Amino acid sequence: MSFAQTIEKNNKNRLIVKFKSSIGVEYRIPKSDKKFNYEELDNINKKNRIQSIILSGNKKKKDTYILNFESNQDIDHLIKQYKNSNLFEYVEPDFIGIGGGKKAELQYTLVHDLIKIQH
């Protein structure tokens, strides 16, 4: 059985960012689909033509977001800009993954034996 995933490339218009825990929640919640409540960050977003901000990850903490940009960007340059703001625990590309490996089927006897062990 194989459950491999191969990472081929990343989206050229998306980043995943996670705010540092020291950044107050009042700054982490977007005011609109293109702005946070933090002027420095909003300036970076505007400069890079952000299209949307989407909450991702832990919905209660509201600390991880996908940043979508209007067009393809130099992702390495974007990562540097957002990291240099010192607001984020991490800033990374949104990788595109594809499945790999072989399809496998469990035999009935194996599943039946596992059920016996659990009871």
Side-chain angles (χ1 to χ4, degrees), residues 78-91:
L78 284 177
I79 289 171
K80 287 177 188 171
Q81 285 183 60
Y82 283 90
K83 279 185 177 179
N84 287 341
S85 72
N86 290 317
L87 298 171
F88 300 103
E89 185 176 319
Y90 64 78
V91 178

Side-chain angles (χ1 to χ4, degrees), residues 46-63:
K46 184 177 179 180
K47 176 181 166 188
N48 292 301
R49 300 183 324 269
I50 197 160
Q51 184 176 28
S52 64
I53 300 167
I54 301 169
L55 178 62
S56 180
N58 188 321
K59 306 293 188 216
K60 289 181 182 179
K61 289 185 177 182
K62 294 180 172 44
D63 61 357

Side-chain angles (χ1 to χ4, degrees), residues 59-119:
K59 306 293 188 216
K60 289 181 182 179
K61 289 185 177 182
K62 294 180 172 44
D63 61 357
T64 307
Y65 293 88
I66 297 171
L67 305 181
N68 289 300
F69 300 92
E70 290 179 6
S71 59
N72 289 350
Q73 305 273 341
D74 177 347
I75 293 298
D76 292 331
H77 181 69
L78 284 177
I79 289 171
K80 287 177 188 171
Q81 285 183 60
Y82 283 90
K83 279 185 177 179
N84 287 341
S85 72
N86 290 317
L87 298 171
F88 300 103
E89 185 176 319
Y90 64 78
V91 178
E92 58 188 40
D94 183 12
F95 288 103
I96 300 169
I98 60 169
K102 290 183 173 183
K103 181 179 178 182
E105 293 184 26
L106 294 176
Q107 294 179 355
Y108 172 77
T109 56
L110 175 61
V111 173
H112 183 71
D113 291 345
L114 287 174
I115 292 170
K116 278 183 176 179
I117 292 170
Q118 291 177 352
H119 291 290

